[in-house]
Amino acid sequence: MLILKPNCECCDVDLKPDSLEARTCSFECTFCKDCAETRFDNICPNCGGELLRRPIRPARHLIKNPASKDRFVKAHAASADL
């Protein structure tokens, strides 16, 4: 089950569980659409995997399986700098 991280780990913008702006890789590294597209060319700077739109968890399932509240942020170089 996806963790549904609450923020972009690059710019720390909030990403709600129903956000269409959240991007994630197969390791669940999580970024906002802007960082994914403009900084990383939709390639995860941590693992090199493809960054895709994160699926939405239906609200009725968030009660039993809530999104994570743990925020994770670290410095990331832009893809041209990698």
Side-chain angles (χ1 to χ4, degrees):
M1 182 176 312
L2 290 173
I3 297 169
L4 299 179
K5 294 177 182 176
N7 65 303
C8 173
E9 65 180 68
C10 182
C11 72
D12 199 31
V13 69
D14 290 338
L15 296 169
K16 295 181 180 182
D18 62 352
S19 175
L20 296 176
E21 301 295 310
R23 301 294 183 265
T24 190
C25 70
S26 66
F27 288 99
E28 295 188 59
C29 302
T30 303
F31 300 93
C32 67
K33 180 181 177 183
D34 185 53
C35 286
E37 292 178 356
T38 63
R39 291 181 55 90
F40 309 126
D41 296 322
N42 292 309
I43 301 297
C44 180
N46 299 324
C47 70
E50 186 177 15
L51 290 170
L52 300 170
R53 188 178 69 79
R54 183 178 70 189
I56 302 294
R57 183 170 300 155
R60 70 182 187 276
H61 293 296
L62 287 169
I63 296 167
K64 188 174 180 181
N65 299 289
S68 175
K69 293 183 182 189
D70 296 331
R71 298 179 80 85
F72 181 77
V73 180
K74 71 178 195 177
H76 291 90
S79 62
D81 298 333
L82 298 175

